[in-house]
Coordinates of all heavy atoms in Angstrom, one line a residue:
M1 N 9.9 -7.8 13.1 CA 9.8 -6.5 13.6 C 8.5 -6.4 14.4 O 7.4 -6.9 14.0 CB 9.8 -5.5 12.5 CG 9.6 -4.1 12.9 SD 9.6 -2.8 11.6 CE 8.9 -3.6 10.3
R2 N 8.5 -5.7 15.5 CA 7.3 -5.5 16.3 C 6.4 -4.4 15.8 O 6.9 -3.3 15.6 CB 7.8 -5.1 17.7 CG 6.7 -5.1 18.7 CD 6.4 -6.5 19.2 NE 5.9 -6.5 20.5 CZ 5.5 -7.6 21.1 NH1 5.7 -8.8 20.4 NH2 5.0 -7.7 22.3
C3 N 5.2 -4.7 15.5 CA 4.2 -3.7 15.0 C 2.9 -3.8 15.8 O 2.6 -4.9 16.3 CB 3.9 -4.0 13.5 SG 5.2 -4.0 12.4
V4 N 2.3 -2.7 16.0 CA 1.0 -2.7 16.7 C -0.1 -2.4 15.6 O -0.1 -1.4 15.0 CB 0.9 -1.7 17.8 CG1 -0.4 -1.7 18.5 CG2 2.0 -2.0 18.9
I5 N -1.0 -3.3 15.5 CA -2.2 -3.1 14.6 C -3.4 -3.4 15.3 O -3.6 -4.5 15.9 CB -2.0 -4.1 13.3 CG1 -0.7 -3.8 12.6 CG2 -3.2 -4.0 12.4 CD1 -0.4 -4.8 11.5
A6 N -4.3 -2.5 15.4 CA -5.6 -2.6 16.1 C -5.4 -2.9 17.6 O -6.0 -3.7 18.2 CB -6.5 -3.6 15.4
H7 N -4.4 -2.2 18.1 CA -4.0 -2.3 19.6 C -3.5 -3.7 19.9 O -3.4 -4.0 21.1 CB -5.3 -2.0 20.4 CG -5.9 -0.7 20.1 ND1 -5.2 0.5 20.4 CD2 -7.1 -0.3 19.6 CE1 -6.0 1.5 20.0 NE2 -7.1 1.0 19.5
F8 N -3.1 -4.5 19.0 CA -2.5 -5.8 19.3 C -1.1 -5.8 18.7 O -0.8 -5.4 17.6 CB -3.3 -6.9 18.6 CG -4.6 -7.2 19.3 CD1 -5.8 -6.6 18.7 CD2 -4.7 -7.9 20.4 CE1 -7.0 -6.8 19.3 CE2 -6.0 -8.1 21.0 CZ -7.1 -7.6 20.5
P9 N -0.1 -6.3 19.5 CA 1.3 -6.3 19.0 C 1.5 -7.6 18.1 O 1.0 -8.7 18.4 CB 2.1 -6.4 20.3 CG 1.2 -7.1 21.3 CD -0.2 -6.6 20.9
F10 N 2.3 -7.4 17.1 CA 2.6 -8.5 16.2 C 4.1 -8.4 15.9 O 4.7 -7.4 15.7 CB 1.9 -8.4 14.8 CG 0.4 -8.5 14.9 CD1 -0.5 -7.4 15.1 CD2 -0.2 -9.8 14.9 CE1 -1.8 -7.6 15.2 CE2 -1.6 -10.0 15.0 CZ -2.4 -8.9 15.2
D11 N 4.7 -9.6 15.8 CA 6.1 -9.7 15.4 C 6.0 -10.2 13.9 O 5.8 -11.3 13.6 CB 6.9 -10.7 16.2 CG 7.2 -10.2 17.6 OD1 7.6 -9.0 17.7 OD2 7.0 -10.9 18.6
L12 N 6.2 -9.2 13.0 CA 6.1 -9.5 11.6 C 7.5 -9.5 10.9 O 8.3 -8.6 11.3 CB 5.2 -8.4 10.9 CG 3.8 -8.4 11.4 CD1 3.1 -7.2 10.7 CD2 3.1 -9.7 11.1
F13 N 7.7 -10.4 10.0 CA 8.9 -10.4 9.2 C 8.5 -10.5 7.7 O 7.4 -11.0 7.4 CB 9.7 -11.6 9.5 CG 10.2 -11.6 11.0 CD1 9.5 -12.3 11.9 CD2 11.3 -10.9 11.3 CE1 9.9 -12.3 13.3 CE2 11.8 -10.9 12.7 CZ 11.0 -11.6 13.6
K14 N 9.3 -9.8 6.9 CA 9.0 -9.8 5.5 C 8.7 -11.1 4.9 O 7.7 -11.4 4.1 CB 10.1 -9.0 4.7 CG 9.8 -8.8 3.2 CD 10.8 -7.9 2.6 CE 10.3 -7.5 1.2 NZ 11.2 -6.5 0.6
S15 N 9.6 -12.1 5.2 CA 9.4 -13.4 4.6 C 8.1 -14.1 5.1 O 7.5 -14.9 4.4 CB 10.6 -14.3 5.0 OG 10.7 -14.4 6.5
D16 N 7.7 -13.8 6.3 CA 6.4 -14.4 6.8 C 5.2 -13.8 6.1 O 4.3 -14.5 5.8 CB 6.2 -14.1 8.3 CG 7.3 -14.8 9.2 OD1 7.8 -15.8 8.7 OD2 7.5 -14.4 10.3
V17 N 5.3 -12.5 5.8 CA 4.2 -11.9 5.0 C 4.1 -12.5 3.6 O 3.1 -12.8 3.1 CB 4.4 -10.3 5.0 CG1 3.3 -9.7 4.1 CG2 4.3 -9.7 6.4
Q18 N 5.3 -12.6 3.0 CA 5.4 -13.2 1.7 C 4.8 -14.6 1.6 O 4.0 -15.0 0.8 CB 6.8 -13.2 1.1 CG 7.3 -11.8 0.8 CD 8.8 -11.8 0.6 OE1 9.6 -12.5 1.2 NE2 9.3 -10.9 -0.3
Q19 N 5.1 -15.4 2.6 CA 4.7 -16.8 2.7 C 3.2 -16.8 3.0 O 2.5 -17.6 2.4 CB 5.4 -17.5 3.9 CG 5.1 -19.0 3.9 CD 5.5 -19.7 2.7 OE1 6.5 -19.5 2.1 NE2 4.7 -20.7 2.3
A20 N 2.7 -15.9 3.8 CA 1.2 -15.9 4.1 C 0.4 -15.5 2.9 O -0.7 -16.0 2.7 CB 0.9 -14.9 5.3
M21 N 1.0 -14.7 2.0 CA 0.2 -14.2 0.9 C 0.4 -15.1 -0.4 O -0.3 -14.9 -1.4 CB 0.6 -12.7 0.5 CG 0.3 -11.7 1.6 SD -1.4 -11.8 2.2 CE -2.3 -11.3 0.7
K22 N 1.3 -16.0 -0.3 CA 1.6 -17.0 -1.4 C 0.3 -17.8 -1.6 O -0.3 -18.4 -0.7 CB 2.7 -17.9 -1.1 CG 3.2 -18.6 -2.3 CD 4.5 -19.4 -1.9 CE 5.6 -18.3 -1.9 NZ 7.0 -18.9 -1.8
G23 N -0.2 -17.8 -2.9 CA -1.4 -18.5 -3.2 C -2.7 -17.8 -3.0 O -3.7 -18.3 -3.3
V24 N -2.6 -16.5 -2.4 CA -3.8 -15.8 -2.1 C -4.1 -14.9 -3.3 O -3.2 -14.1 -3.8 CB -3.6 -14.9 -0.9 CG1 -4.9 -14.0 -0.7 CG2 -3.4 -15.7 0.4
K25 N -5.3 -15.0 -3.9 CA -5.7 -14.3 -5.1 C -6.0 -12.8 -4.7 O -6.8 -12.6 -3.8 CB -6.9 -14.9 -5.7 CG -7.3 -14.2 -7.0 CD -8.5 -14.8 -7.6 CE -9.0 -14.0 -8.8 NZ -10.2 -14.5 -9.4
P26 N -5.3 -11.8 -5.3 CA -5.6 -10.4 -5.0 C -7.0 -10.0 -5.3 O -7.5 -10.4 -6.4 CB -4.6 -9.6 -5.8 CG -3.6 -10.6 -6.3 CD -4.3 -12.0 -6.3
E27 N -7.6 -9.3 -4.4 CA -8.9 -8.7 -4.7 C -8.7 -7.5 -5.5 O -7.6 -6.9 -5.6 CB -9.6 -8.3 -3.3 CG -9.9 -9.5 -2.4 CD -10.3 -9.1 -1.1 OE1 -10.4 -7.9 -0.8 OE2 -10.6 -10.0 -0.3
P28 N -9.8 -7.0 -6.1 CA -9.6 -5.7 -6.9 C -9.2 -4.6 -6.0 O -9.7 -4.5 -4.9 CB -11.0 -5.5 -7.4 CG -11.7 -6.8 -7.4 CD -11.1 -7.5 -6.3
V29 N -8.3 -3.8 -6.5 CA -7.8 -2.7 -5.6 C -8.6 -1.4 -5.8 O -8.9 -1.0 -6.9 CB -6.3 -2.3 -6.0 CG1 -5.8 -1.1 -5.3 CG2 -5.4 -3.5 -5.8
A30 N -9.1 -0.9 -4.7 CA -10.0 0.3 -4.7 C -9.5 1.4 -3.8 O -10.1 2.4 -3.6 CB -11.4 -0.1 -4.4
G31 N -8.3 1.1 -3.1 CA -7.8 2.1 -2.2 C -6.3 1.8 -2.0 O -5.6 1.4 -3.0
P32 N -5.7 2.0 -0.9 CA -4.3 1.8 -0.7 C -4.0 0.3 -1.0 O -4.7 -0.6 -0.7 CB -4.1 2.1 0.8 CG -5.2 3.0 1.2 CD -6.4 2.6 0.3
S33 N -2.8 0.1 -1.6 CA -2.4 -1.2 -2.0 C -0.9 -1.4 -1.7 O -0.2 -0.5 -1.4 CB -2.7 -1.4 -3.5 OG -1.9 -0.5 -4.2
V34 N -0.5 -2.7 -1.8 CA 0.9 -3.0 -1.5 C 1.3 -4.1 -2.6 O 0.5 -4.9 -2.9 CB 1.1 -3.6 -0.1 CG1 0.2 -4.8 0.2 CG2 2.6 -3.9 0.2
T35 N 2.6 -4.0 -3.0 CA 3.1 -4.9 -4.0 C 3.9 -6.0 -3.2 O 4.8 -5.6 -2.5 CB 4.0 -4.2 -5.0 OG1 3.2 -3.3 -5.7 CG2 4.6 -5.3 -6.0
I36 N 3.5 -7.2 -3.3 CA 4.2 -8.3 -2.7 C 4.5 -9.3 -3.8 O 3.6 -9.9 -4.5 CB 3.3 -9.0 -1.6 CG1 3.0 -8.0 -0.5 CG2 4.0 -10.2 -1.0 CD1 2.0 -8.5 0.5
G37 N 5.8 -9.5 -4.1 CA 6.2 -10.3 -5.2 C 5.8 -9.5 -6.5 O 6.1 -8.4 -6.7
R38 N 5.1 -10.2 -7.4 CA 4.6 -9.6 -8.6 C 3.2 -9.2 -8.5 O 2.6 -8.9 -9.6 CB 4.9 -10.6 -9.8 CG 6.4 -10.6 -10.1 CD 6.6 -11.5 -11.3 NE 6.9 -12.9 -10.8 CZ 6.7 -14.0 -11.5 NH1 6.2 -13.9 -12.7 NH2 6.9 -15.1 -11.0
R39 N 2.6 -9.3 -7.4 CA 1.1 -9.1 -7.2 C 0.9 -7.8 -6.4 O 1.7 -7.5 -5.5 CB 0.4 -10.3 -6.6 CG 0.4 -11.5 -7.5 CD -0.3 -12.6 -6.8 NE -0.6 -13.7 -7.8 CZ -1.3 -14.7 -7.5 NH1 -1.9 -14.9 -6.3 NH2 -1.4 -15.7 -8.4
T40 N -0.2 -7.2 -6.7 CA -0.6 -6.0 -5.9 C -1.9 -6.3 -5.2 O -2.9 -6.7 -5.8 CB -0.8 -4.8 -6.9 OG1 0.4 -4.5 -7.5 CG2 -1.2 -3.5 -6.1
Y41 N -1.9 -6.2 -3.9 CA -3.0 -6.5 -3.0 C -3.6 -5.3 -2.4 O -2.8 -4.4 -2.0 CB -2.6 -7.5 -1.9 CG -2.1 -8.8 -2.3 CD1 -0.7 -9.0 -2.6 CD2 -3.0 -9.9 -2.4 CE1 -0.3 -10.3 -3.0 CE2 -2.5 -11.1 -2.8 CZ -1.2 -11.3 -3.1 OH -0.7 -12.5 -3.5
P42 N -4.9 -5.2 -2.1 CA -5.4 -4.2 -1.2 C -4.7 -4.3 0.2 O -4.6 -5.4 0.7 CB -6.9 -4.4 -1.1 CG -7.2 -5.3 -2.3 CD -5.9 -6.1 -2.6
V43 N -4.3 -3.2 0.8 CA -3.7 -3.3 2.1 C -4.6 -4.0 3.1 O -4.1 -4.7 4.0 CB -3.3 -1.8 2.5 CG1 -2.9 -1.8 4.0 CG2 -2.2 -1.3 1.7
K44 N -5.9 -3.7 3.1 CA -6.8 -4.3 4.0 C -6.8 -5.8 3.9 O -6.9 -6.6 4.9 CB -8.2 -3.8 3.9 CG -8.4 -2.3 4.4 CD -8.6 -2.3 5.9 CE -9.3 -1.1 6.3 NZ -9.9 -1.2 7.6
Q45 N -6.7 -6.4 2.7 CA -6.7 -7.8 2.5 C -5.5 -8.4 3.1 O -5.6 -9.4 3.8 CB -6.7 -8.1 1.0 CG -6.7 -9.6 0.7 CD -6.7 -10.0 -0.8 OE1 -6.4 -9.1 -1.6 NE2 -6.9 -11.2 -1.1
V46 N -4.3 -7.8 2.9 CA -3.1 -8.3 3.5 C -3.2 -8.2 5.0 O -2.8 -9.2 5.7 CB -1.9 -7.5 3.0 CG1 -0.6 -7.9 3.7 CG2 -1.7 -7.6 1.5
G47 N -3.7 -7.1 5.5 CA -3.8 -7.0 7.0 C -4.7 -8.1 7.6 O -4.4 -8.6 8.7
E48 N -5.8 -8.4 6.9 CA -6.7 -9.4 7.4 C -5.9 -10.8 7.4 O -6.1 -11.6 8.4 CB -7.9 -9.5 6.5 CG -9.0 -10.5 7.0 CD -10.2 -10.4 6.2 OE1 -10.1 -10.5 4.9 OE2 -11.3 -10.2 6.7
V49 N -5.2 -11.1 6.4 CA -4.5 -12.4 6.3 C -3.4 -12.5 7.4 O -3.3 -13.5 8.1 CB -3.9 -12.6 4.9 CG1 -2.9 -13.8 4.9 CG2 -5.0 -12.7 3.9
I50 N -2.6 -11.4 7.5 CA -1.4 -11.5 8.4 C -1.8 -11.4 9.9 O -1.1 -11.9 10.8 CB -0.3 -10.5 8.1 CG1 -0.7 -9.1 8.2 CG2 0.3 -10.9 6.7 CD1 0.4 -8.1 7.9
T51 N -2.9 -10.7 10.2 CA -3.3 -10.5 11.6 C -4.4 -11.4 12.0 O -4.7 -11.6 13.2 CB -3.8 -9.1 11.9 OG1 -5.0 -8.8 11.1 CG2 -2.7 -8.0 11.5
R52 N -5.1 -12.0 11.1 CA -6.3 -12.9 11.3 C -7.4 -12.1 12.1 O -8.1 -12.7 12.8 CB -5.9 -14.1 12.1 CG -4.9 -15.0 11.3 CD -4.7 -16.4 12.0 NE -3.8 -17.2 11.3 CZ -2.5 -17.4 11.6 NH1 -2.1 -16.9 12.7 NH2 -1.8 -18.2 10.9
Q53 N -7.4 -10.8 11.8 CA -8.5 -10.0 12.4 C -9.4 -9.5 11.3 O -9.0 -9.5 10.1 CB -7.9 -8.7 13.0 CG -7.0 -9.0 14.2 CD -6.5 -7.7 14.9 OE1 -6.8 -6.6 14.5 NE2 -5.6 -7.9 15.8
D54 N -10.6 -9.2 11.6 CA -11.5 -8.6 10.7 C -11.0 -7.3 10.2 O -10.5 -6.5 11.0 CB -12.9 -8.4 11.4 CG -14.0 -8.0 10.4 OD1 -14.0 -6.8 9.9 OD2 -14.8 -8.9 10.0
R55 N -11.1 -7.0 8.9 CA -10.5 -5.8 8.4 C -11.2 -4.5 8.9 O -10.6 -3.4 8.7 CB -10.4 -5.8 6.9 CG -11.7 -6.1 6.1 CD -11.5 -6.2 4.6 NE -11.0 -7.5 4.2 CZ -10.7 -7.8 3.0 NH1 -10.7 -6.9 2.0 NH2 -10.3 -9.0 2.7
R56 N -12.3 -4.6 9.5 CA -12.9 -3.4 10.1 C -12.3 -3.1 11.4 O -12.5 -2.0 12.0 CB -14.4 -3.7 10.4 CG -15.2 -3.9 9.1 CD -16.6 -4.3 9.3 NE -16.6 -5.7 9.9 CZ -17.7 -6.3 10.2 NH1 -18.9 -5.8 10.0 NH2 -17.6 -7.6 10.7
D57 N -11.4 -4.0 12.0 CA -10.8 -3.7 13.3 C -9.5 -2.9 13.2 O -9.0 -2.5 14.2 CB -10.5 -5.0 14.0 CG -11.7 -5.8 14.3 OD1 -12.8 -5.2 14.5 OD2 -11.7 -7.0 14.5
F58 N -9.0 -2.7 12.0 CA -7.8 -1.9 11.8 C -7.9 -0.9 10.7 O -8.8 -1.1 9.8 CB -6.5 -2.8 11.7 CG -6.7 -3.8 10.5 CD1 -6.4 -3.5 9.2 CD2 -7.1 -5.1 10.8 CE1 -6.5 -4.4 8.2 CE2 -7.3 -6.0 9.8 CZ -7.0 -5.7 8.5
T59 N -7.0 0.1 10.6 CA -7.0 1.0 9.5 C -6.0 0.6 8.5 O -5.0 -0.1 8.8 CB -6.7 2.4 10.0 OG1 -5.3 2.5 10.4 CG2 -7.6 2.9 11.1
S60 N -6.2 1.1 7.3 CA -5.2 0.8 6.2 C -3.9 1.5 6.5 O -2.9 1.0 6.2 CB -5.8 1.3 4.8 OG -6.1 2.6 4.8
G61 N -4.0 2.6 7.2 CA -2.8 3.3 7.6 C -1.9 2.5 8.5 O -0.6 2.5 8.4
E62 N -2.5 1.8 9.5 CA -1.7 1.0 10.4 C -0.9 -0.1 9.6 O 0.2 -0.4 9.8 CB -2.6 0.3 11.4 CG -3.2 1.2 12.4 CD -4.2 0.5 13.3 OE1 -5.2 -0.1 12.8 OE2 -4.0 0.5 14.6
V63 N -1.6 -0.8 8.7 CA -1.0 -1.9 7.9 C 0.0 -1.3 6.9 O 1.1 -1.9 6.8 CB -2.1 -2.7 7.2 CG1 -1.5 -3.8 6.4 CG2 -3.1 -3.3 8.2
T64 N -0.3 -0.2 6.3 CA 0.6 0.5 5.4 C 1.9 0.8 6.1 O 3.0 0.5 5.6 CB 0.0 1.7 4.8 OG1 -1.2 1.3 4.0 CG2 1.0 2.4 3.8
R65 N 1.8 1.4 7.3 CA 3.1 1.7 8.0 C 3.9 0.5 8.3 O 5.1 0.5 8.1 CB 2.7 2.5 9.3 CG 2.5 3.9 9.2 CD 2.3 4.7 10.5 NE 1.2 4.2 11.3 CZ -0.1 4.6 11.1 NH1 -0.3 5.5 10.1 NH2 -1.0 4.2 11.8
A66 N 3.2 -0.6 8.8 CA 3.9 -1.8 9.1 C 4.6 -2.4 7.9 O 5.8 -2.8 7.9 CB 3.0 -2.8 9.7
L67 N 3.9 -2.5 6.8 CA 4.4 -3.1 5.5 C 5.5 -2.2 5.0 O 6.5 -2.8 4.4 CB 3.3 -3.3 4.5 CG 2.2 -4.3 4.9 CD1 1.1 -4.3 3.9 CD2 2.8 -5.7 5.0
T68 N 5.4 -0.9 5.0 CA 6.5 0.0 4.6 C 7.7 -0.3 5.4 O 8.9 -0.3 4.9 CB 6.0 1.4 4.6 OG1 4.9 1.6 3.8 CG2 7.1 2.4 4.1
R69 N 7.6 -0.4 6.7 CA 8.7 -0.6 7.6 C 9.4 -2.0 7.3 O 10.6 -2.1 7.5 CB 8.3 -0.5 9.0 CG 8.0 0.9 9.5 CD 7.5 1.0 10.9 NE 8.4 0.4 11.9 CZ 8.0 -0.1 13.1 NH1 6.8 0.1 13.5 NH2 8.9 -0.6 13.9
L70 N 8.6 -2.9 6.8 CA 9.2 -4.2 6.4 C 9.8 -4.2 5.1 O 10.5 -5.2 4.7 CB 8.0 -5.3 6.4 CG 7.5 -5.7 7.8 CD1 6.3 -6.6 7.7 CD2 8.6 -6.4 8.6
G71 N 9.7 -3.1 4.3 CA 10.4 -3.0 3.0 C 9.5 -3.2 1.8 O 10.0 -3.3 0.7
F72 N 8.2 -3.3 2.0 CA 7.3 -3.5 0.9 C 7.0 -2.1 0.3 O 7.0 -1.1 1.0 CB 6.0 -4.2 1.3 CG 6.2 -5.6 1.7 CD1 6.2 -6.0 3.0 CD2 6.3 -6.6 0.7 CE1 6.4 -7.3 3.4 CE2 6.5 -7.9 1.1 CZ 6.5 -8.3 2.4
T73 N 6.6 -2.1 -1.0 CA 6.2 -0.9 -1.7 C 4.7 -0.7 -1.6 O 4.0 -1.6 -2.1 CB 6.6 -0.9 -3.2 OG1 8.1 -1.1 -3.2 CG2 6.3 0.4 -3.9
C74 N 4.3 0.3 -0.9 CA 2.8 0.6 -0.8 C 2.4 1.8 -1.7 O 3.2 2.7 -2.0 CB 2.5 1.0 0.7 SG 2.8 -0.4 1.8
H75 N 1.2 1.7 -2.2 CA 0.7 2.7 -3.1 C -0.6 3.3 -2.5 O -1.4 2.6 -2.0 CB 0.4 2.1 -4.5 CG 1.4 1.1 -4.9 ND1 2.5 1.5 -5.6 CD2 1.5 -0.3 -4.8 CE1 3.3 0.4 -5.9 NE2 2.6 -0.7 -5.4
D76 N -0.7 4.6 -2.6 CA -1.9 5.3 -2.1 C -2.5 6.1 -3.3 O -1.9 7.0 -3.8 CB -1.5 6.3 -1.0 CG -2.7 6.9 -0.3 OD1 -3.8 6.7 -0.8 OD2 -2.5 7.6 0.7
P77 N -3.7 5.7 -3.7 CA -4.3 6.3 -4.9 C -4.7 7.8 -4.6 O -4.9 8.5 -5.6 CB -5.5 5.4 -5.2 CG -5.8 4.8 -3.9 CD -4.5 4.6 -3.2
A78 N -4.8 8.2 -3.4 CA -5.1 9.5 -3.1 C -4.0 10.5 -3.4 O -4.2 11.7 -3.5 CB -5.5 9.6 -1.6
V79 N -2.8 10.0 -3.4 CA -1.6 10.8 -3.7 C -1.3 10.7 -5.2 O -0.9 9.6 -5.7 CB -0.4 10.3 -2.9 CG1 0.8 11.2 -3.3 CG2 -0.7 10.4 -1.4
T80 N -1.5 11.8 -5.9 CA -1.2 11.8 -7.4 C 0.0 12.6 -7.6 O 0.3 13.6 -7.0 CB -2.4 12.4 -8.1 OG1 -2.7 13.7 -7.6 CG2 -3.7 11.6 -8.0
P81 N 0.8 12.2 -8.6 CA 2.0 12.9 -8.9 C 1.7 14.3 -9.4 O 0.7 14.5 -10.2 CB 2.7 12.0 -10.0 CG 1.8 11.0 -10.4 CD 0.6 11.0 -9.4
V82 N 2.5 15.2 -9.0 CA 2.4 16.6 -9.4 C 3.2 16.9 -10.7 O 4.4 16.6 -10.7 CB 2.8 17.6 -8.3 CG1 2.7 19.0 -8.7 CG2 1.9 17.3 -7.1
T83 N 2.6 17.4 -11.7 CA 3.4 17.8 -12.9 C 3.8 19.2 -12.8 O 3.0 20.1 -12.6 CB 2.5 17.6 -14.2 OG1 2.0 16.3 -14.2 CG2 3.3 17.9 -15.4
V84 N 5.1 19.4 -12.9 CA 5.6 20.8 -12.8 C 5.9 21.3 -14.2 O 6.6 20.7 -15.0 CB 6.9 20.8 -12.0 CG1 7.5 22.2 -11.9 CG2 6.7 20.3 -10.6
L85 N 5.3 22.4 -14.6 CA 5.4 23.0 -15.9 C 6.6 23.9 -15.9 O 6.8 24.6 -14.9 CB 4.1 23.7 -16.3 CG 2.9 22.9 -16.4 CD1 1.7 23.8 -16.8 CD2 3.0 21.8 -17.4
T86 N 7.3 24.0 -17.0 CA 8.3 25.0 -17.2 C 7.6 26.4 -17.4 O 6.4 26.5 -17.7 CB 9.2 24.7 -18.5 OG1 8.3 24.9 -19.6 CG2 9.8 23.3 -18.4
P87 N 8.3 27.5 -17.2 CA 7.7 28.8 -17.4 C 7.1 28.9 -18.8 O 6.1 29.5 -19.0 CB 8.9 29.8 -17.2 CG 9.8 29.0 -16.3 CD 9.7 27.6 -16.7
L88 N 7.8 28.4 -19.8 CA 7.3 28.5 -21.2 C 5.9 27.7 -21.3 O 5.0 28.2 -21.9 CB 8.3 27.9 -22.2 CG 7.8 27.8 -23.7 CD1 7.4 29.2 -24.2 CD2 8.8 27.1 -24.5
Q89 N 5.9 26.5 -20.7 CA 4.6 25.7 -20.8 C 3.5 26.4 -20.0 O 2.4 26.4 -20.5 CB 4.9 24.3 -20.2 CG 5.8 23.4 -21.0 CD 6.2 22.2 -20.3 OE1 6.4 22.2 -19.1 NE2 6.3 21.1 -21.0
T90 N 3.8 27.0 -18.9 CA 2.8 27.8 -18.1 C 2.3 28.9 -18.9 O 1.0 29.1 -19.0 CB 3.4 28.3 -16.8 OG1 3.9 27.2 -16.1 CG2 2.4 29.0 -16.0
A91 N 3.2 29.7 -19.5 CA 2.8 30.9 -20.3 C 1.9 30.5 -21.5 O 0.9 31.1 -21.8 CB 4.0 31.7 -20.8
T92 N 2.3 29.4 -22.2 CA 1.6 28.9 -23.3 C 0.2 28.4 -22.9 O -0.8 28.7 -23.6 CB 2.4 27.8 -24.0 OG1 3.7 28.2 -24.4 CG2 1.7 27.3 -25.3
A93 N 0.1 27.7 -21.8 CA -1.2 27.2 -21.4 C -2.1 28.4 -21.0 O -3.3 28.4 -21.3 CB -1.0 26.3 -20.2
L94 N -1.5 29.4 -20.4 CA -2.3 30.6 -20.0 C -2.8 31.4 -21.3 O -3.9 32.0 -21.2 CB -1.5 31.6 -19.1 CG -1.3 31.0 -17.7 CD1 -0.3 32.0 -17.0 CD2 -2.5 30.9 -16.9
L95 N -2.0 31.3 -22.3 CA -2.4 32.0 -23.6 C -3.3 31.2 -24.5 O -3.7 31.6 -25.5 CB -1.2 32.5 -24.3 CG -0.3 33.5 -23.6 CD1 1.0 33.8 -24.3 CD2 -1.1 34.8 -23.4
G96 N -3.5 29.9 -24.1 CA -4.4 29.0 -24.8 C -3.7 28.4 -26.0 O -4.4 27.8 -26.9
G97 N -2.4 28.4 -26.1 CA -1.8 27.8 -27.3 C -1.1 26.5 -26.9 O -1.3 25.9 -25.8
T98 N -0.4 25.9 -27.8 CA 0.4 24.7 -27.6 C 1.9 25.0 -27.8 O 2.2 25.8 -28.7 CB 0.0 23.5 -28.5 OG1 0.2 24.0 -29.8 CG2 -1.4 23.1 -28.3
A99 N 2.7 24.5 -26.9 CA 4.2 24.8 -27.0 C 4.8 24.0 -28.1 O 4.5 22.8 -28.2 CB 4.9 24.5 -25.6
A100 N 5.7 24.6 -28.9 CA 6.4 23.8 -29.9 C 7.6 23.2 -29.3 O 8.3 23.8 -28.5 CB 6.8 24.8 -31.0
H101 N 7.8 21.9 -29.5 CA 9.0 21.2 -29.0 C 10.0 21.2 -30.1 O 9.7 20.8 -31.2 CB 8.6 19.8 -28.6 CG 7.6 19.8 -27.5 ND1 7.9 20.1 -26.2 CD2 6.2 19.5 -27.5 CE1 6.8 20.0 -25.4 NE2 5.8 19.7 -26.2
G102 N 11.2 21.4 -29.8 CA 12.2 21.4 -30.8 C 13.5 21.4 -30.3 O 14.6 21.2 -30.5

């Protein structure tokens, strides 16, 4: 698939990305990440490996979009799941009590 990262066009395929990351030790994740196989890598690390560019030359968003389009699962720590409370849970929390489950 044709992707543009840091103003350069790349023809990326899921199998090529998997092969490029095989044997690469994941760095600690401190921002957006992607799961490749059974490992989770920082998006910037993967971008650096597959583009051979310095990671300062591209954004994590560019790489995340490309990897998502290729079918990889990307994770963004800035997006947290929203917990929706039932009306009973909301009222109980407002009154300072705990809801009885039964």
Side-chain angles (χ1 to χ4, degrees):
M1 175 180 35
R2 187 81 154 178
C3 301
V4 177
I5 299 173
H7 306 291
F8 290 97
F10 293 93
D11 287 315
L12 298 175
F13 298 95
K14 186 171 186 172
S15 59
D16 294 337
V17 174
Q18 290 168 324
Q19 186 64 36
M21 296 309 294
K22 194 171 281 189
V24 176
K25 183 179 177 188
E27 296 172 359
V29 175
S33 61
V34 58
T35 301
I36 300 175
R38 288 182 266 155
R39 294 182 168 185
T40 301
Y41 297 90
V43 167
K44 288 278 204 162
Q45 180 185 12
V46 175
E48 187 175 52
V49 171
I50 64 176
T51 66
R52 295 188 181 105
Q53 295 182 7
D54 189 285
R55 53 182 86 184
R56 294 173 293 184
D57 294 339
F58 54 84
T59 67
S60 59
E62 290 174 301
V63 179
T64 299
R65 277 189 295 280
L67 294 172
T68 300
R69 288 176 55 202
L70 288 172
F72 292 103
T73 302
C74 295
H75 316 277
D76 188 354
V79 178
T80 56
V82 177
T83 304
V84 179
L85 299 177
T86 65
L88 175 61
Q89 291 170 324
T90 302
T92 303
L94 289 171
L95 295 173
T98 59
H101 298 285

